[in-house]
Amino acid sequence: MKKKIALISVVLASLMGGASVQAAIPNVEPFPVGIFWSPGPAETTSAKYQEIKELNATFVLLSNGIYTYAQNDAALAQCADKGLSCIVQDDRLGSHKFTVDQTAGNDGKYVSAGSSLGQTFTTPAEPDIAIDTIQLYIDRTQWTAGRKLTLRLYSSPGKENLIGSYSITGPVADDYPVFKLHKWLNSGTSYYFELTSGSAADIGWVVGNSSNVFAGGTAYQNGTALNDYDFWFKLNYGQKMYSGGAQPPASVINDMASHYAGNPGLLGYNLMDEPGAAAMTGLQGTMEKFRAADPNHLTYVNLLPNYAQNLGFGPQSGEYVTPGSALGQTFRTNSGTTHISSLQLYIDKNQWGSNEPLTLKLWNSPAKSALLGQKTLSGSSTSFPVFEINAAVSPNTDYYWELTHGGGGDNQVGWVIRSTGGVKLEKDGNAYVAGAAVNGDYWFALNQNLVPFSYEDYVYRWASKKPDFLLFDHYPYSAGGGFSSEYFANLEIIRRQALAASLDFWAYIQSVGVTDGLRPPTENELRYNVYSSLVYGAKGINYFTYETPSGEGETFHDGIVLPGGSKGPLYASAQKVNADLLQIGPTLRTLTSQAVYHTGSLPSGTSGVPSGFFWKPEDAAQPLIIGYFKNGSGREYVMVVNKDTVNAVTARFSLSPKPAGVSEVSKSNGTETGTDYNAATGKLTSSLAPGEGRIYVLP
């Protein structure tokens, strides 16, 4: 299930001249344990935040109607007081709010049942524009109680297509009534709004100007255009961010940075929930601006799960590569890229004959003054060929690859796929055809072997942009029962891409039910959701949800906190699991995943324990997950998780070669404690509650 609650976008600051700023280190001591759907504005109290603290959480993703400075500040104060951290959001960045107005007035007209008043206007030539409200200037002293005015929005003065309407009945508080429409409009398009009254009596003045002071339209009375006349109005727009290149304006970003950066309760800024791939370059730009303005706090983006129906890559097109028309792409390496072993492209294999050599060359720039590496392929068994380049490169540096046709066959191979329709896959790059830049980016991947536009491609796109960490949601407990068959495939991809990009990852944990969608987990299932994430290397968790949402388009039930504010059964369940995490968390945060194996049945995308692995289960049929880790010094750790959420298991292992000893990281105090490991036999026994995990340490 895709999360429907909107996590309104929040971001920061300005980046000058393309300079690189290092990613923030997510620092939540002793371990990131977060909650989503926090107490609302009226519940931002010491008692409510004390309950969060007693849940053994360490951070709060502010939500549930908390968007303004005043609301966030109140929550930040509670977080700081309780030793928690907050991630803030701001509704100005869910969409860019701006106003187009005509506020010069020297005249006016009355509106009545016999006299409608209207105005044409043209929307800005920007994508994803919505009209939120229209504000007029009407003398309230001549607007009698009980009389209703209605503002209707049409596609034209001919009124063939009604788009929306809003009515206000007098009396009103001031002379500037706001008509709420909230309708999507086409960019660069003319529209018409009309004010009408059902009363024969005059209401007004409706203020206007007797000159042509608004170039984008004209006024109307009773459907007839008034030459050289415009009404007083404010058109309040909202523009969806991260679509078609739209990003939050620097003025808002800098204002937010100035307001929040010094707050002791601040952990970071929520950028966006579940973005499509086409939004990622805009998010990258915003993230980089934030880092320049406030490098001490993180940014937060939650990715879609692998069962999402639409990954949002946007439209694609392509070109043929021919002997006379080379295709190319500029791009910028990220802060961690020092070597390009391979470049993967998307080329239709069915139009590429074995007698048609294609050469991909990596250059320092489109000027091609320094060749860094090249590879020639003659045909491909797949449409996603990998060109082995093996070139040393520098981080945060611009490069250019170019694909050429060596002649043969029908002298054309294609399509070579790229984005179109204004969608950018590379923030700092551009596609080229025969040396000329075109509006789009060719699909390519560095040091990967992907299926284009797949879920792994989607995760790679964001990981390659070097966020502070990866975060995803996958809710495995469906209303129909059972456990998601795609859950571990999702974890495998997140783990793989996080390691490839040298990033930590965090995971959402399901802690709510949704009618006809999800069932609330049991305590054992909640524990399993947590430990199955940790055994894959998760360095943080976030519960969805804490309070039980209402009025959000879906029917939620049985969250950690129930409707009405009382604690549900999952409060105690999460509290117990979180208490363990606070003890083992400092160790977990130092570990890097080396491998993950399953025993018993193997879920899709997973691997069984290899015959040569040193930690061997004696009963391969037992339902276990075994995670192998190392810390920064190379010391080895093993986590064992019970996949059975109903029954406890006693698992026995044979270790070979036999270490001198094996200890366990205590869930009571985080220290290394003894186990029943026998150094003479190499045997160890692990007793695991349903869904539980344990961490073992080698000498």
Side-chain angles (χ1 to χ4, degrees):
M1 183 196 74
K2 182 178 183 292
K3 204 171 351 167
K4 299 297 179 66
I5 299 179
L7 301 181
I8 304 298
S9 305
V10 180
V11 281
L12 288 190
S14 63
L15 181 69
M16 304 303 293
S20 174
V21 178
Q22 184 63 38
I25 299 173
N27 188 27
V28 190
E29 297 291 350
F31 192 79
V33 179
I35 60 107
F36 171 75
W37 211 245
S38 59
E43 299 175 302
T44 303
T45 64
S46 177
K48 285 294 183 181
Y49 275 76
Q50 183 61 33
E51 286 185 357
I52 296 172
K53 180 68 174 179
E54 291 172 358
L55 185 74
N56 294 313
T58 56
F59 77 91
V60 178
L61 175 54
L62 296 176
S63 40
N64 192 9
I66 296 182
Y67 307 123
T68 68
Y69 280 163
Q71 291 166 343
N72 278 307
D73 288 346
L76 284 163
Q78 293 297 337
C79 277
D81 182 62
K82 302 299 183 294
L84 300 165
S85 299
C86 284
I87 295 173
V88 298
Q89 55 184 344
D90 190 306
D91 64 353
R92 292 174 300 170
L93 298 178
S95 63
H96 170 37
K97 308 292 186 181
F98 65 97
T99 299
V100 174
D101 58 31
Q102 189 302 100
T103 57
N106 65 6
D107 193 60
K109 298 188 181 299
Y110 291 107
V111 60
S112 67
S115 179
S116 64
L117 306 177
Q119 175 79 40
T120 55
F121 64 94
T122 300
T123 56
E126 297 287 344
D128 297 306
I129 290 288
I131 187 77
D132 287 340
T133 64
I134 296 177
Q135 189 173 20
L136 302 179
Y137 186 176
I138 304 173
D139 184 356
R140 71 172 191 250
T141 65
Q142 299 189 59
W143 188 345
T144 307
R147 290 179 178 170
K148 181 170 70 175
L149 296 184
T150 299
L151 188 79
R152 294 180 174 88
L153 179 63
Y154 297 96
S155 56
S156 73
K159 300 190 287 188
E160 300 91 349
N161 180 28
L162 175 65
I163 297 169
S165 66
Y166 190 83
S167 298
I168 300 175
T169 300
V172 291
D174 58 36
D175 295 333
Y176 305 100
V178 175
F179 296 86
K180 301 175 183 179
L181 295 168
H182 303 294
K183 297 294 182 181
W184 291 104
L185 302 180
N186 295 321
S187 66
T189 303
S190 179
Y191 291 91
Y192 172 71
F193 67 78
E194 185 176 77
L195 185 70
T196 62
S197 171
S199 172
D202 290 337
I203 299 175
W205 292 98
V206 179
V207 175
N209 195 290
S210 57
S211 300
N212 184 17
V213 291
F214 181 66
T218 192
Y220 282 72
Q221 187 170 29
N222 282 329
T224 300
L226 302 176
N227 294 326
D228 298 325
Y229 202 97
D230 290 296
F231 285 107
W232 188 107
F233 59 85
K234 290 185 177 182
L235 307 174
N236 298 307
Y237 288 104
Q239 182 183 17
K240 181 181 178 183
M241 290 293 92
Y242 314 118
S243 177
Q247 295 183 35
S251 58
V252 172
I253 291 170
N254 289 329
D255 184 62
M256 290 175 61
S258 176
H259 183 87
Y260 286 120
N263 195 302
L266 182 67
L267 174 60
Y269 306 83
N270 181 27
L271 302 188
M272 191 175 187
D273 182 56
E274 298 184 332
M280 289 177 177
T281 55
L283 285 166
Q284 179 188 3
T286 303
M287 176 177 65
E288 291 174 353
K289 292 174 186 176
F290 162 50
R291 288 174 179 167
D294 185 4
N296 297 319
H297 294 101
L298 58 80
T299 52
Y300 186 103
V301 173
N302 176 48
L303 297 180
L304 288 159
N306 62 346
Y307 52 76
Q309 297 299 306
N310 183 1
L311 298 173
F313 278 93
Q316 293 96 44
S317 184
E319 282 83 26
Y320 291 100
V321 57
T322 71
S325 181
L327 308 180
Q329 173 76 42
T330 54
F331 65 96
R332 180 173 297 169
T333 54
N334 64 35
S335 60
T337 304
T338 59
H339 188 267
I340 296 178
S341 59
S342 65
L343 270 156
Q344 185 183 18
L345 304 184
Y346 189 176
I347 306 171
D348 184 358
K349 67 175 183 178
N350 296 314
Q351 300 190 58
W352 183 1
S354 60
N355 60 342
E356 295 182 278
L358 298 186
T359 300
L360 189 139
K361 295 181 179 181
L362 180 64
W363 299 91
N364 62 324
S365 73
K368 299 189 287 188
S369 58
L371 178 63
L372 306 177
Q374 63 179 313
K375 180 69 174 181
T376 299
L377 297 177
S378 295
S380 174
S381 61
T382 172
S383 293
F384 325 129
V386 174
F387 293 81
E388 302 293 340
I389 297 296
N390 293 316
V393 295
S394 298
N396 304 311
T397 303
D398 293 332
Y399 293 95
Y400 172 71
W401 62 254
E402 187 172 75
L403 186 69
T404 58
H405 194 301
D410 63 359
N411 286 314
Q412 63 175 19
V413 174
W415 276 0
V416 181
I417 301 299
R418 66 171 174 86
S419 64
T420 188
V423 172
K424 294 289 291 176
L425 298 177
E426 295 293 316
K427 182 180 78 70
D428 302 299
N430 208 84
Y432 285 77
V433 177
V438 296
N439 186 20
D441 293 297
Y442 284 106
W443 186 96
F444 72 98
L446 298 180
N447 306 330
Q448 297 276 337
N449 191 349
L450 305 172
V451 175
F453 311 122
S454 65
Y455 182 73
E456 184 143 14
D457 183 14
Y458 167 81
V459 177
Y460 160 75
R461 293 291 141 194
W462 184 236
S464 70
K465 292 166 176 47
K466 280 292 186 180
D468 293 326
F469 59 100
L470 293 182
L471 172 71
F472 79 110
D473 57 35
H474 188 124
Y475 306 123
Y477 302 115
S478 67
F483 185 82
S484 170
S485 61
E486 301 173 276
Y487 175 75
F488 285 108
N490 206 150
L491 274 168
E492 291 276 344
I493 289 171
I494 293 290
R495 172 187 173 274
R496 185 160 53 241
Q497 291 301 325
L499 288 172
S502 297
L503 295 172
D504 289 344
F505 81 85
W506 297 5
Y508 264 99
I509 303 301
Q510 182 184 334
S511 56
V512 75
V514 179
T515 300
D516 298 325
L518 302 174
R519 72 178 190 277
T522 65
E523 178 176 328
N524 293 342
E525 289 174 330
L526 184 82
R527 184 188 301 116
Y528 181 47
N529 200 174
V530 171
Y531 277 101
S532 60
S533 300
L534 299 177
V535 75
Y536 270 81
K539 299 293 182 65
I541 64 168
N542 202 10
Y543 287 101
F544 178 81
T545 62
Y546 179 66
E547 293 202 345
T548 303
S550 61
E552 296 299 323
E554 292 176 294
T555 305
F556 290 83
H557 59 90
D558 297 299
I560 293 174
V561 173
L562 303 175
S566 63
K567 299 173 184 176
L570 287 177
Y571 183 94
S573 302
Q575 187 180 46
K576 294 175 188 176
V577 174
N578 297 344
D580 293 346
L581 288 179
L582 298 188
Q583 300 304 320
I584 64 176
T587 296
L588 286 171
R589 295 180 66 187
T590 68
L591 305 183
T592 299
S593 176
Q594 306 297 309
V596 183
Y597 304 120
H598 286 248
T599 64
S601 62
L602 298 184
S604 175
T606 65
S607 300
V609 180
S611 59
F613 188 56
F614 73 95
W615 190 285
K616 299 179 181 65
E618 293 189 349
D619 183 356
Q622 282 186 314
L624 303 174
I625 313 172
I626 301 172
Y628 175 43
F629 300 84
K630 290 184 180 180
N631 68 10
S633 301
R635 194 176 183 193
E636 295 174 301
Y637 294 73
V638 171
M639 179 182 283
V640 179
V641 175
N642 178 10
K643 290 195 288 186
D644 193 327
T645 58
V646 177
N647 302 299
V649 299
T650 298
R652 294 177 174 83
F653 301 94
S654 296
L655 280 61
S656 178
K658 302 167 188 170
V662 177
S663 56
E664 181 181 354
V665 180
S666 170
K667 294 176 183 175
S668 299
N669 55 27
T671 62
E672 294 182 19
T673 60
T675 66
D676 75 345
Y677 172 70
N678 186 321
T681 63
K683 306 290 186 180
L684 179 142
T685 301
S686 181
S687 296
L688 299 159
E692 184 188 16
R694 293 184 180 273
I695 308 173
Y696 296 100
V697 192
L698 277 70

